[in-house]
Amino acid sequence: MLFNSLTFVVFFVVVVSAYWMTRSWEARKNLLVIASYIFYGAWNPPFAALLFGTTAMDFYLGRIMGKQERPEARKVWLVISVAVNLSMLGFFKYGNFLLQNFQWTLARAGIAYQPPHLDLFLPIGISFYTFHSLSYTLDIYRGVLKPTRSLRDFVLAVSFFPQLVAGPIVRAGDFLPQLVRPPKLQRGQFFWGLLLMTLGLFEKVVLADTLLAGSADTIFGYGGPIIALDSWLGVMAFAGQIFFDFAGYSICAIGAALCLGFHLKDNFRFPYAAIGFSDFWRRWHISLSTFLRDYLYIPLGGNRAGAARAMINLMIVMFIGGLWHGAAWTFVVWGLLHGSYLALERLTRVIVGKASWTEHLPIKLLLGLGTYFAVCVAWVFFRATDFTIASRMLSGMFGGHPHGDALLSTREILQIGSVTIFMFAVHWSLRDTTIEAAVNRLPVWLVTGIWTFMAGAIVLTQGNSNAFIYFQF
Amino acid sequence: MPSSTSSFERVIPARPWRGMTVTVVMILALAMAAWEIRCRSLGYGVTLNDSEDLWARVRRQVEPESIVIIGDSRALFDLDLDEIEHGIGKRPLQLAQAGSCAYPVLHDLAQDLRFHGTIICSIVPRLFFAPPQAPPYSVAQKALQRFHDATYSRRFSLLLSMPLEEHIAFLKQDDLTLSEMLDDLPIPNRPYALVPPKFPPYFATIDRERRARMVERCAQPGPLQDRVKTGWIPLFTPPPPPTYIPHDAFFASMQRAVEGRFHDIKSDVDHLRARGAKVIFLRLPVTLDLKALENQLTPRAAFWDRLLKETAAPGIHFEDYPELASFDCPEWSHLSAGDSVEFTKRLAPHLRTTLGR
């Protein structure tokens, strides 16, 4: 079920009404479990069984692990949990990719092998809910979380519908405590949740789908050389599209959860105002970057074993991060590019040290712009479906096709330009604050006007229900 | 270890939320009412959106012995389902799509081993022989994909949207969405930019069976009719060959694609015929400048005559029958709603004879 569909509107109204009309907290949680499984099963009912299987396995493994005193025994159960979860993810998401690469490797050795094509449907959101579930056994192993006694509570923590299919990656340790006693709505919480849902949908259906997606598709889908202006505009359109698409989903999820009395953490903090790449990853897909930091980077040694080892760790983490997004080498290159950016930044810091001149606003803006353009270069590999397209795009962007084709209409150029400038203005003006603080500062009439404008624009798009980009991950 | 309550709580801005929400709802309701009145005053009536979901809904109704209409917008506008039912004794299902290549749908039906009914296939050669990477082909492919992958959620959304679209005139995905309205802004393009031509504006209604009818404002001479007419020529004119492929190689590849399509159509028709299904091709009226352009780009002998010869399937070409050739298409490409009924009435006996009913 998509947030941007009429079905979801009806579903949400019914679930929220039934939820708040039900007195018993236990009954309310049961209702949310049923609603979450309907939400997920509306795509493909059999996958709900897979979701439940993964969840139940981690619940019981967590329980067993919690009873173990010896660290070695705990480790065994953790390895089982990680292995089963990642095998499931690997089979559905990476099965064909692994076979293709195996075939390629054999071919290099002169062995002709034609692997069978696995006709697999990728269970929607599998990368997200696998991480939701995995965080539970990992935290029990690390000793930062006690196993819950209630399978129902853990099922709800993993499948809670607002965050189930496209994040944020909510850790069981953040959600389970909220299930202990019924939430009390703070003053205005429900309406603030509705406003956040409006904002998320506005970002998705108006900014991402209506104003940017078409141009990005035109440029990345073209088979020939494209001039530099159109190439850059295509990449900038995608940079905006993926932000508004994914951040829009996260904001919707946070808003929907607030309407039900739950609190989810931010997943984005104005990332296009980042100065440097470590700053970017503190602002972009925060739930994934903190997940990789806590469960991969730090266990690998983090930066405790010297600068060289820290850089290698960064590359490993970003390699995994790239692969998490999709079963293709283009995603790996995207991850490694970011790994290189981070390593280079770290190296620069070691060499240059803390330079006070970087604190001046014009320098900050310049560094921010540099960060944005480097991020855009990396987006080329994220969006391109193969290296031929990626290299053609990069060549176009850096002047390799002076006689290439121009594809965008003036209207599209104006749309990309104005949305990008608007995005920068908002990100830079809010980079050191929060949206809540901004709303508190603005006059009531202006907040009301912005809310009305966003809702009106959503109506004018007429239920354009394109799937969110991150569903495929 | 975490305590029994979460340490994390989002900040809720202290604003007069109740009043703000009521204000937003009221302004939005008023604005929507005003927009609805404005759209109706501009001549927009209520109609369903001819979405992939609506198409998939009709496709799901196909039974083994159904009569199915496939093809382009001419089949949508010109064929009246009541008259066909009256003429040949069975109500057909309308699966034609505006601006689409019908070949993927023909192929899909050929692959559907349950199906052994009748296919009435409208032919506009520029569309039917469009290569797989061209927009007409992807229009059909998207609809087929929706049919094969439709989720329960999507089906339910369609059920909810139909009553809304049948009562609200501004719900028009082809004309009154934000993106379509932005596209209509008179902003000149760079002269060298390869920007595709625009589709014609709203000029038809469609019902739950996907029967399209031209609106009266377009059937009568006037600005709407002129806009639609002038829209066809750029749409039917082939785009310039890509700059990055030598012209000879490009035209050779196009020719190979056409030959390949003839081969694929024959193969699919043979499959269908082998299990008792029938296929009949139709060439529906087209007039004046558009007819001249079509005849020039896709001559009858090279496409229509060859199609019938290679597939050995029956065909009805409107020009071969005086009672079918006498209709005028107000905007050169489709019949008016009234004429479509009369046209189908005259076509039905030919269909009956051809199908041996």
Side-chain angles (χ1 to χ4, degrees):
Chain A
M1 205 179 292
L2 300 171
F3 283 165
N4 49 329
S5 68
L6 280 176
T7 306
F8 180 76
V9 174
V10 173
F11 168 87
F12 191 68
V13 168
V14 170
V15 170
V16 168
S17 309
Y19 178 80
W20 288 114
M21 281 193 293
T22 305
R23 287 182 165 222
S24 152
W25 177 225
E26 297 304 311
R28 274 199 225 165
K29 288 194 279 188
N30 291 339
L31 173 77
L32 285 183
V33 170
I34 294 166
S36 297
Y37 271 77
I38 290 173
F39 179 86
Y40 191 69
W43 272 292
N44 196 337
F47 287 143
L50 184 72
L51 168 65
F52 181 76
T54 312
T55 312
M57 182 202 68
D58 280 327
F59 172 76
Y60 288 109
L61 288 176
R63 178 184 275 188
I64 297 167
M65 205 189 304
K67 289 178 185 162
Q68 307 299 317
E69 298 293 330
R70 290 185 308 116
E72 299 79 26
R74 293 159 68 84
K75 196 172 218 167
V76 169
W77 292 110
L78 176 72
V79 168
I80 293 172
S81 168
V82 172
V84 176
N85 274 294
L86 296 187
S87 304
M88 202 80 88
L89 187 61
F91 176 72
F92 283 105
K93 189 163 176 174
Y94 303 104
N96 283 315
F97 176 66
L98 291 172
L99 277 176
Q100 283 162 12
N101 284 284
F102 183 58
Q103 180 193 22
W104 185 87
T105 311
L106 287 180
R108 296 287 84 74
I111 303 167
Y113 167 65
Q114 187 58 47
H117 180 80
L118 302 176
D119 207 7
L120 296 173
F121 277 106
L122 182 67
I124 204 153
I126 188 170
S127 304
F128 285 95
Y129 74 67
T130 302
F131 276 25
H132 293 158
S133 187
L134 204 50
S135 75
Y136 177 67
T137 48
L138 286 164
D139 279 348
I140 292 173
Y141 173 77
R142 296 196 307 157
V144 297
L145 182 70
K146 276 185 195 165
T148 176
R149 290 181 180 181
S150 165
L151 173 62
R152 191 270 322 276
D153 281 9
F154 183 58
V155 166
L156 179 54
V158 174
S159 65
F160 184 50
F161 72 84
Q163 44 89 37
L164 172 59
V165 291
I169 299 169
V170 179
R171 299 189 198 184
D174 288 330
F175 196 80
L176 282 171
Q178 299 190 49
L179 297 177
V180 173
R181 58 178 62 97
K184 283 197 179 130
L185 280 184
Q186 297 176 43
R187 194 178 165 81
Q189 180 173 332
F190 186 84
F191 298 114
W192 174 237
L194 289 182
L195 194 155
L196 287 181
M197 290 178 80
T198 312
L199 171 62
L201 282 177
F202 175 77
E203 289 190 8
K204 162 66 181 164
V205 302
V206 179
L207 300 179
D209 286 353
T210 303
L211 299 181
L212 299 173
S215 310
D217 291 347
T218 301
I219 296 296
F220 279 89
Y222 191 62
I226 305 170
I227 59 169
L229 174 67
D230 290 48
S231 301
W232 273 107
L233 286 167
V235 178
M236 287 162 64
F238 180 69
Q241 183 200 354
I242 191 148
F243 168 73
F244 288 122
D245 187 284
F246 191 19
Y249 191 93
S250 297
I251 292 173
C252 267
I254 290 166
L258 276 177
C259 291
L260 293 162
F262 294 93
H263 296 259
L264 308 183
K265 290 179 179 170
D266 284 335
N267 208 19
F268 289 86
R269 275 190 213 119
F270 314 110
Y272 288 135
I275 300 172
F277 305 101
S278 47
D279 190 24
F280 179 79
W281 282 103
R282 279 193 293 271
R283 296 167 178 277
W284 181 276
H285 202 172
I286 300 163
S287 60
L288 176 68
S289 50
T290 51
F291 188 101
L292 293 175
R293 179 197 66 198
D294 293 348
Y295 302 124
L296 189 60
Y297 181 68
I298 292 173
L300 283 171
N303 51 9
R304 299 189 300 276
R309 179 66 208 181
M311 286 185 205
I312 294 170
N313 290 343
L314 275 176
M315 296 303 279
I316 294 171
V317 168
M318 294 314 291
F319 172 86
I320 301 283
L323 205 55
W324 177 86
H325 283 86
W329 287 109
T330 46
F331 286 112
V332 173
V333 170
W334 172 79
L336 290 176
L337 255 181
H338 271 281
S340 315
Y341 293 160
L342 287 165
L344 214 63
E345 182 182 84
R346 195 172 283 254
L347 194 68
T348 312
R349 285 224 175 102
V350 170
I351 296 166
V352 178
K354 196 164 174 64
S356 57
W357 55 269
T358 57
E359 296 304 313
H360 298 294
L361 185 63
I363 302 295
K364 276 177 151 180
L365 281 171
L366 217 58
L367 290 172
L369 214 58
T371 307
Y372 172 74
F373 281 110
V375 167
C376 278
V377 169
W379 283 137
V380 170
F381 291 94
F382 194 96
R383 176 61 178 79
T385 45
D386 58 48
F387 288 109
T388 312
I389 295 174
S391 60
R392 191 166 55 224
M393 281 297 298
L394 288 172
S395 177
M397 286 159 71
F398 293 103
H401 306 141
H403 303 295
D405 293 326
L407 303 178
L408 298 175
S409 65
T410 309
R411 190 251 318 161
E412 288 174 302
I413 294 172
L414 291 172
Q415 279 176 202
I416 298 166
S418 49
V419 172
T420 305
I421 291 169
F422 165 77
M423 183 175 73
F424 272 126
V426 170
H427 283 211
W428 277 89
S429 59
L430 298 180
R431 78 181 295 272
D432 297 320
T433 182
T434 61
I435 190 165
E436 286 86 356
V439 168
N440 258 332
R441 274 201 310 270
L442 290 175
V444 169
W445 66 265
L446 188 56
V447 178
T448 310
I450 293 171
W451 192 358
T452 311
F453 172 77
M454 292 191 300
I458 291 167
V459 172
L460 279 185
T461 62
Q462 302 190 18
N464 173 0
S465 44
N466 287 339
F468 288 81
I469 294 176
Y470 264 68
F471 278 18
Q472 62 190 295
F473 307 139
Chain B
M1 302 259 178
S3 62
S4 58
T5 53
S6 171
S7 56
F8 174 73
E9 271 198 4
R10 297 193 69 85
V11 173
I12 309 300
R15 310 263 77 180
W17 288 111
R18 201 176 291 269
M20 285 164 65
T21 310
V22 171
T23 310
V24 169
V25 171
M26 282 172 58
I27 296 175
L28 203 59
L30 283 173
M32 282 165 63
W35 180 231
E36 175 70 8
I37 292 166
R38 171 76 179 147
C39 291
R40 285 182 187 249
S41 74
L42 289 172
Y44 290 98
V46 292
T47 174
L48 292 184
N49 286 307
D50 192 17
S51 63
E52 285 117 17
D53 294 296
L54 186 64
W55 188 92
R57 179 176 179 266
V58 178
R59 176 65 182 84
R60 281 194 293 275
Q61 293 166 11
V62 173
E63 291 178 352
E65 295 191 8
S66 293
I67 297 174
V68 180
I69 299 168
I70 66 173
D72 41 78
S73 57
R74 287 182 200 154
L76 267 181
F77 280 71
D78 298 356
L79 299 180
D80 184 70
L81 305 186
D82 293 334
E83 288 300 329
I84 293 181
E85 183 181 17
H86 187 250
I88 61 178
K90 192 163 188 173
R91 196 162 187 81
L93 293 165
Q94 179 56 275
L95 286 178
Q97 278 180 291
S100 85
C101 163
Y103 172 69
V105 183
L106 179 74
H107 181 67
D108 182 67
L109 287 165
Q111 298 295 309
D112 182 353
L113 298 179
R114 287 179 326 122
F115 180 77
H116 52 265
T118 300
I119 298 172
I120 299 171
C121 179
S122 162
I123 299 290
V124 174
R126 276 278 293 144
L127 298 174
F128 198 55
F129 287 87
Q133 62 275 20
Y137 198 94
S138 64
V139 167
Q141 271 192 321
K142 279 183 194 165
L144 280 168
Q145 193 175 349
R146 185 60 51 83
F147 163 63
H148 289 293
D149 301 341
T151 61
Y152 295 106
S153 168
R154 276 214 171 266
R155 291 192 200 187
F156 189 61
S157 283
L158 178 70
L159 288 181
L160 294 172
S161 66
M162 284 194 296
L164 291 175
E165 289 167 8
E166 284 167 343
H167 289 90
I168 301 173
F170 74 70
L171 293 178
K172 288 208 172 30
Q173 285 178 355
D174 291 337
D175 225 35
L176 293 173
T177 59
L178 187 58
S179 63
E180 294 299 326
M181 288 189 286
L182 287 170
D183 206 21
D184 281 344
L185 293 174
I187 305 172
N189 290 317
R190 295 169 290 177
Y192 50 89
L194 304 175
V195 179
K198 288 178 187 173
F199 279 94
Y202 157 81
F203 69 106
T205 61
I206 196 159
D207 62 22
R208 291 187 182 214
E209 285 188 292
R210 300 188 65 258
R211 159 69 159 116
R213 291 175 178 84
M214 185 184 291
V215 298
E216 198 48 34
R217 243 168 19 101
C218 183
Q220 303 302 327
L224 178 62
Q225 193 184 86
D226 293 341
R227 269 187 78 191
V228 178
K229 260 184 205 172
T230 50
W232 297 130
I233 300 300
L235 274 172
F236 275 76
T237 305
T243 52
Y244 52 91
I245 302 175
H247 285 195
D248 291 349
F250 173 73
F251 288 117
S253 75
M254 294 304 285
Q255 190 53 41
R256 276 197 304 278
V258 169
E259 293 302 321
R261 180 63 49 80
F262 270 117
H263 173 269
D264 294 342
I265 296 165
K266 176 175 167 33
S267 164
D268 285 330
V269 171
D270 287 347
H271 271 116
L272 285 158
R273 201 183 284 129
R275 58 171 190 265
K278 292 176 184 166
V279 180
I280 176 168
F281 293 111
L282 280 187
R283 188 82 168 97
L284 294 163
V286 53
T287 52
L288 297 173
D289 296 27
L290 186 57
K291 183 178 170 186
L293 183 67
E294 283 191 14
N295 287 343
Q296 179 205 329
L297 294 170
T298 51
R300 174 173 174 157
F303 287 90
W304 173 258
D305 294 345
R306 186 177 164 193
L307 179 71
L308 299 193
K309 191 177 167 201
E310 293 206 2
T311 59
I316 301 171
H317 195 301
F318 74 98
E319 285 180 328
D320 295 342
Y321 304 94
E323 71 272 29
L324 301 180
S326 57
F327 286 87
D328 175 46
C329 299
E331 37 66 278
W332 301 342
S333 189
H334 307 92
L335 297 175
S336 67
D339 277 356
S340 70
V341 176
E342 181 58 30
F343 176 81
T344 315
K345 197 179 279 179
R346 296 184 194 180
L347 176 71
H350 298 289
L351 284 174
R352 196 166 51 230
T353 310
T354 313
L355 296 171
R357 283 178 179 256

PDB file of all heavy atoms in Angstrom, chain B residues 221-240:
ATOM      1  N   PRO B 221     -17.094  22.707 -35.150  1.00  0.00           N
ATOM      2  CA  PRO B 221     -15.945  23.577 -35.458  1.00  0.00           C
ATOM      3  C   PRO B 221     -15.719  24.598 -34.345  1.00  0.00           C
ATOM      4  O   PRO B 221     -16.678  25.115 -33.787  1.00  0.00           O
ATOM      5  CB  PRO B 221     -16.360  24.280 -36.760  1.00  0.00           C
ATOM      6  CG  PRO B 221     -17.419  23.410 -37.338  1.00  0.00           C
ATOM      7  CD  PRO B 221     -18.126  22.747 -36.196  1.00  0.00           C
ATOM      8  N   GLY B 222     -14.474  24.824 -34.028  1.00  0.00           N
ATOM      9  CA  GLY B 222     -14.163  25.779 -32.962  1.00  0.00           C
ATOM     10  C   GLY B 222     -12.737  25.607 -32.507  1.00  0.00           C
ATOM     11  O   GLY B 222     -11.991  24.778 -33.045  1.00  0.00           O
ATOM     12  N   PRO B 223     -12.353  26.384 -31.485  1.00  0.00           N
ATOM     13  CA  PRO B 223     -10.944  26.359 -31.041  1.00  0.00           C
ATOM     14  C   PRO B 223     -10.489  24.986 -30.562  1.00  0.00           C
ATOM     15  O   PRO B 223      -9.357  24.582 -30.830  1.00  0.00           O
ATOM     16  CB  PRO B 223     -10.904  27.366 -29.894  1.00  0.00           C
ATOM     17  CG  PRO B 223     -12.235  28.000 -29.797  1.00  0.00           C
ATOM     18  CD  PRO B 223     -13.173  27.347 -30.749  1.00  0.00           C
ATOM     19  N   LEU B 224     -11.358  24.237 -29.845  1.00  0.00           N
ATOM     20  CA  LEU B 224     -10.931  22.928 -29.340  1.00  0.00           C
ATOM     21  C   LEU B 224     -10.656  21.983 -30.511  1.00  0.00           C
ATOM     22  O   LEU B 224      -9.622  21.297 -30.542  1.00  0.00           O
ATOM     23  CB  LEU B 224     -12.000  22.329 -28.408  1.00  0.00           C
ATOM     24  CG  LEU B 224     -11.668  20.936 -27.875  1.00  0.00           C
ATOM     25  CD1 LEU B 224     -10.398  20.951 -27.025  1.00  0.00           C
ATOM     26  CD2 LEU B 224     -12.827  20.358 -27.055  1.00  0.00           C
ATOM     27  N   GLN B 225     -11.586  21.983 -31.465  1.00  0.00           N
ATOM     28  CA  GLN B 225     -11.391  21.101 -32.632  1.00  0.00           C
ATOM     29  C   GLN B 225     -10.091  21.459 -33.366  1.00  0.00           C
ATOM     30  O   GLN B 225      -9.325  20.577 -33.770  1.00  0.00           O
ATOM     31  CB  GLN B 225     -12.588  21.237 -33.582  1.00  0.00           C
ATOM     32  CG  GLN B 225     -12.635  20.161 -34.626  1.00  0.00           C
ATOM     33  CD  GLN B 225     -13.775  20.380 -35.602  1.00  0.00           C
ATOM     34  OE1 GLN B 225     -13.605  21.103 -36.589  1.00  0.00           O
ATOM     35  NE2 GLN B 225     -14.913  19.758 -35.326  1.00  0.00           N
ATOM     36  N   ASP B 226      -9.838  22.739 -33.499  1.00  0.00           N
ATOM     37  CA  ASP B 226      -8.608  23.173 -34.179  1.00  0.00           C
ATOM     38  C   ASP B 226      -7.358  22.729 -33.423  1.00  0.00           C
ATOM     39  O   ASP B 226      -6.374  22.293 -34.016  1.00  0.00           O
ATOM     40  CB  ASP B 226      -8.593  24.709 -34.338  1.00  0.00           C
ATOM     41  CG  ASP B 226      -9.676  25.184 -35.300  1.00  0.00           C
ATOM     42  OD1 ASP B 226     -10.154  24.330 -36.094  1.00  0.00           O
ATOM     43  OD2 ASP B 226     -10.048  26.362 -35.237  1.00  0.00           O
ATOM     44  N   ARG B 227      -7.411  22.861 -32.078  1.00  0.00           N
ATOM     45  CA  ARG B 227      -6.242  22.451 -31.273  1.00  0.00           C
ATOM     46  C   ARG B 227      -5.964  20.961 -31.423  1.00  0.00           C
ATOM     47  O   ARG B 227      -4.821  20.533 -31.530  1.00  0.00           O
ATOM     48  CB  ARG B 227      -6.498  22.748 -29.784  1.00  0.00           C
ATOM     49  CG  ARG B 227      -6.026  24.104 -29.340  1.00  0.00           C
ATOM     50  CD  ARG B 227      -6.167  24.244 -27.844  1.00  0.00           C
ATOM     51  NE  ARG B 227      -5.097  23.541 -27.132  1.00  0.00           N
ATOM     52  CZ  ARG B 227      -5.088  23.315 -25.827  1.00  0.00           C
ATOM     53  NH1 ARG B 227      -6.107  23.722 -25.098  1.00  0.00           N
ATOM     54  NH2 ARG B 227      -4.089  22.698 -25.245  1.00  0.00           N
ATOM     55  N   VAL B 228      -7.046  20.169 -31.411  1.00  0.00           N
ATOM     56  CA  VAL B 228      -6.856  18.718 -31.522  1.00  0.00           C
ATOM     57  C   VAL B 228      -6.296  18.381 -32.900  1.00  0.00           C
ATOM     58  O   VAL B 228      -5.307  17.640 -33.022  1.00  0.00           O
ATOM     59  CB  VAL B 228      -8.189  17.974 -31.261  1.00  0.00           C
ATOM     60  CG1 VAL B 228      -7.993  16.471 -31.429  1.00  0.00           C
ATOM     61  CG2 VAL B 228      -8.705  18.270 -29.858  1.00  0.00           C
ATOM     62  N   LYS B 229      -6.914  18.965 -33.937  1.00  0.00           N
ATOM     63  CA  LYS B 229      -6.472  18.715 -35.321  1.00  0.00           C
ATOM     64  C   LYS B 229      -4.990  19.001 -35.488  1.00  0.00           C
ATOM     65  O   LYS B 229      -4.221  18.180 -35.979  1.00  0.00           O
ATOM     66  CB  LYS B 229      -7.219  19.686 -36.261  1.00  0.00           C
ATOM     67  CG  LYS B 229      -8.389  19.125 -36.994  1.00  0.00           C
ATOM     68  CD  LYS B 229      -8.888  20.235 -37.925  1.00  0.00           C
ATOM     69  CE  LYS B 229     -10.357  20.032 -38.229  1.00  0.00           C
ATOM     70  NZ  LYS B 229     -10.934  21.159 -38.949  1.00  0.00           N
ATOM     71  N   THR B 230      -4.591  20.178 -35.050  1.00  0.00           N
ATOM     72  CA  THR B 230      -3.201  20.580 -35.293  1.00  0.00           C
ATOM     73  C   THR B 230      -2.223  19.757 -34.454  1.00  0.00           C
ATOM     74  O   THR B 230      -1.039  19.718 -34.755  1.00  0.00           O
ATOM     75  CB  THR B 230      -2.992  22.077 -34.992  1.00  0.00           C
ATOM     76  OG1 THR B 230      -3.531  22.334 -33.697  1.00  0.00           O
ATOM     77  CG2 THR B 230      -3.672  22.964 -35.993  1.00  0.00           C
ATOM     78  N   GLY B 231      -2.769  19.109 -33.425  1.00  0.00           N
ATOM     79  CA  GLY B 231      -1.890  18.283 -32.594  1.00  0.00           C
ATOM     80  C   GLY B 231      -1.477  16.993 -33.283  1.00  0.00           C
ATOM     81  O   GLY B 231      -0.420  16.427 -32.971  1.00  0.00           O
ATOM     82  N   TRP B 232      -2.304  16.501 -34.220  1.00  0.00           N
ATOM     83  CA  TRP B 232      -2.017  15.178 -34.797  1.00  0.00           C
ATOM     84  C   TRP B 232      -0.787  15.165 -35.699  1.00  0.00           C
ATOM     85  O   TRP B 232      -0.027  14.202 -35.694  1.00  0.00           O
ATOM     86  CB  TRP B 232      -3.214  14.647 -35.603  1.00  0.00           C
ATOM     87  CG  TRP B 232      -4.450  14.409 -34.781  1.00  0.00           C
ATOM     88  CD1 TRP B 232      -5.708  14.841 -35.059  1.00  0.00           C
ATOM     89  CD2 TRP B 232      -4.552  13.682 -33.548  1.00  0.00           C
ATOM     90  NE1 TRP B 232      -6.590  14.450 -34.079  1.00  0.00           N
ATOM     91  CE2 TRP B 232      -5.909  13.719 -33.137  1.00  0.00           C
ATOM     92  CE3 TRP B 232      -3.647  13.016 -32.737  1.00  0.00           C
ATOM     93  CZ2 TRP B 232      -6.364  13.115 -31.966  1.00  0.00           C
ATOM     94  CZ3 TRP B 232      -4.097  12.408 -31.569  1.00  0.00           C
ATOM     95  CH2 TRP B 232      -5.425  12.455 -31.203  1.00  0.00           C
ATOM     96  N   ILE B 233      -0.636  16.224 -36.480  1.00  0.00           N
ATOM     97  CA  ILE B 233       0.427  16.182 -37.505  1.00  0.00           C
ATOM     98  C   ILE B 233       1.816  16.014 -36.862  1.00  0.00           C
ATOM     99  O   ILE B 233       2.558  15.103 -37.241  1.00  0.00           O
ATOM    100  CB  ILE B 233       0.361  17.423 -38.423  1.00  0.00           C
ATOM    101  CG1 ILE B 233      -1.011  17.456 -39.132  1.00  0.00           C
ATOM    102  CG2 ILE B 233       1.498  17.446 -39.437  1.00  0.00           C
ATOM    103  CD1 ILE B 233      -1.322  16.258 -40.009  1.00  0.00           C
ATOM    104  N   PRO B 234       2.171  16.842 -35.846  1.00  0.00           N
ATOM    105  CA  PRO B 234       3.494  16.593 -35.219  1.00  0.00           C
ATOM    106  C   PRO B 234       3.589  15.241 -34.536  1.00  0.00           C
ATOM    107  O   PRO B 234       4.658  14.621 -34.517  1.00  0.00           O
ATOM    108  CB  PRO B 234       3.642  17.731 -34.208  1.00  0.00           C
ATOM    109  CG  PRO B 234       2.325  18.392 -34.102  1.00  0.00           C
ATOM    110  CD  PRO B 234       1.554  18.070 -35.329  1.00  0.00           C
ATOM    111  N   LEU B 235       2.459  14.762 -33.989  1.00  0.00           N
ATOM    112  CA  LEU B 235       2.515  13.464 -33.307  1.00  0.00           C
ATOM    113  C   LEU B 235       2.728  12.312 -34.294  1.00  0.00           C
ATOM    114  O   LEU B 235       3.379  11.323 -33.972  1.00  0.00           O
ATOM    115  CB  LEU B 235       1.215  13.221 -32.528  1.00  0.00           C
ATOM    116  CG  LEU B 235       1.149  13.791 -31.121  1.00  0.00           C
ATOM    117  CD1 LEU B 235      -0.251  13.653 -30.550  1.00  0.00           C
ATOM    118  CD2 LEU B 235       2.133  13.093 -30.192  1.00  0.00           C
ATOM    119  N   PHE B 236       2.146  12.461 -35.492  1.00  0.00           N
ATOM    120  CA  PHE B 236       2.266  11.377 -36.473  1.00  0.00           C
ATOM    121  C   PHE B 236       3.498  11.521 -37.373  1.00  0.00           C
ATOM    122  O   PHE B 236       3.815  10.625 -38.134  1.00  0.00           O
ATOM    123  CB  PHE B 236       0.988  11.294 -37.329  1.00  0.00           C
ATOM    124  CG  PHE B 236      -0.094  10.477 -36.677  1.00  0.00           C
ATOM    125  CD1 PHE B 236      -0.845  10.989 -35.640  1.00  0.00           C
ATOM    126  CD2 PHE B 236      -0.339   9.174 -37.080  1.00  0.00           C
ATOM    127  CE1 PHE B 236      -1.827  10.237 -35.016  1.00  0.00           C
ATOM    128  CE2 PHE B 236      -1.323   8.406 -36.463  1.00  0.00           C
ATOM    129  CZ  PHE B 236      -2.074   8.945 -35.421  1.00  0.00           C
ATOM    130  N   THR B 237       4.154  12.677 -37.287  1.00  0.00           N
ATOM    131  CA  THR B 237       5.371  12.860 -38.085  1.00  0.00           C
ATOM    132  C   THR B 237       6.540  12.184 -37.362  1.00  0.00           C
ATOM    133  O   THR B 237       6.737  12.429 -36.167  1.00  0.00           O
ATOM    134  CB  THR B 237       5.678  14.366 -38.250  1.00  0.00           C
ATOM    135  OG1 THR B 237       4.522  14.973 -38.806  1.00  0.00           O
ATOM    136  CG2 THR B 237       6.875  14.603 -39.147  1.00  0.00           C
ATOM    137  N   PRO B 238       7.293  11.334 -38.045  1.00  0.00           N
ATOM    138  CA  PRO B 238       8.391  10.654 -37.352  1.00  0.00           C
ATOM    139  C   PRO B 238       9.421  11.661 -36.838  1.00  0.00           C
ATOM    140  O   PRO B 238       9.709  12.650 -37.518  1.00  0.00           O
ATOM    141  CB  PRO B 238       9.012   9.769 -38.442  1.00  0.00           C
ATOM    142  CG  PRO B 238       8.037   9.754 -39.558  1.00  0.00           C
ATOM    143  CD  PRO B 238       7.206  10.983 -39.460  1.00  0.00           C
ATOM    144  N   PRO B 239       9.951  11.422 -35.648  1.00  0.00           N
ATOM    145  CA  PRO B 239      10.987  12.326 -35.138  1.00  0.00           C
ATOM    146  C   PRO B 239      12.249  12.199 -35.980  1.00  0.00           C
ATOM    147  O   PRO B 239      12.430  11.192 -36.673  1.00  0.00           O
ATOM    148  CB  PRO B 239      11.233  11.810 -33.714  1.00  0.00           C
ATOM    149  CG  PRO B 239      10.769  10.393 -33.722  1.00  0.00           C
ATOM    150  CD  PRO B 239       9.693  10.288 -34.761  1.00  0.00           C
ATOM    151  N   PRO B 240      13.115  13.212 -35.941  1.00  0.00           N
ATOM    152  CA  PRO B 240      14.346  13.094 -36.733  1.00  0.00           C
ATOM    153  C   PRO B 240      15.177  11.896 -36.238  1.00  0.00           C
ATOM    154  O   PRO B 240      15.118  11.566 -35.058  1.00  0.00           O
ATOM    155  CB  PRO B 240      15.075  14.406 -36.462  1.00  0.00           C
ATOM    156  CG  PRO B 240      14.455  14.958 -35.229  1.00  0.00           C
ATOM    157  CD  PRO B 240      13.062  14.446 -35.172  1.00  0.00           C
TER     158      PRO B 240
END
